[in-house]
Amino acid sequence: MNDRADELSALRMLVNHRGVVELLDQLAQGPRTVRELRSVLGLRRPGVSRVLRVVAAYGLVTADGIGSWDDLLDLTTPIRLTPSGWRTVELLASFAVWEALYEHTDSTLDR
């Protein structure tokens, strides 16, 4: 498998998680606290923590003082995108990437 296919596969798995795209969009505007994310995403604290664990597992976010993303997060700790997170946001801003993400799915439905 080539790097582009691997990258698209990882993106496809990532965007299938509820709230991930919206969370990345918010963090692309600047660091946000769990409290701020909770408010703008319309999720309760456990929902925000779940989405943060997903993006943290991909290495897309960072926060000062976080020992484990499985621990209850302080509501006031700023969460920021990592360089990989910025790359992901860049990719997801491209219509061509979204077309490529769903191209494989659509072709399997035609069979």
Side-chain angles (χ1 to χ4, degrees):
M1 206 177 237
N2 64 31
D3 290 338
R4 172 106 170 127
D6 291 342
E7 190 171 53
L8 285 172
S9 178
L11 277 174
R12 192 175 291 116
M13 289 189 310
L14 182 66
V15 300
N16 280 328
H17 291 277
R18 180 177 175 243
V20 165
V21 174
E22 294 84 354
L23 180 126
L24 292 173
D25 184 51
Q26 286 300 312
L27 293 177
Q29 297 173 37
R32 299 282 189 264
T33 65
V34 172
R35 178 176 284 132
E36 291 168 328
L37 290 170
R38 202 174 69 179
S39 174
V40 296
L41 298 176
L43 297 173
R44 294 176 37 201
R45 191 173 184 180
V48 171
S49 294
R50 179 189 49 76
V51 177
L52 284 169
R53 280 193 302 275
V54 169
V55 295
Y58 282 85
L60 305 182
V61 294
T62 187
D64 297 333
I66 297 292
S68 169
W69 289 96
D70 292 327
D71 295 336
L72 191 58
L73 300 174
D74 183 330
L75 290 174
T76 61
T77 301
I79 313 290
R80 293 177 302 284
L81 291 173
T82 64
S84 293
W86 282 109
R87 168 76 177 137
T88 301
V89 167
E90 262 180 28
L91 288 170
L92 293 176
S94 166
F95 182 73
V97 169
W98 283 98
E99 278 187 317
L101 286 175
Y102 290 101
E103 184 177 84
H104 175 72
T105 303
D106 291 344
S107 66
T108 60
L109 293 175
D110 294 335
R111 292 181 193 178

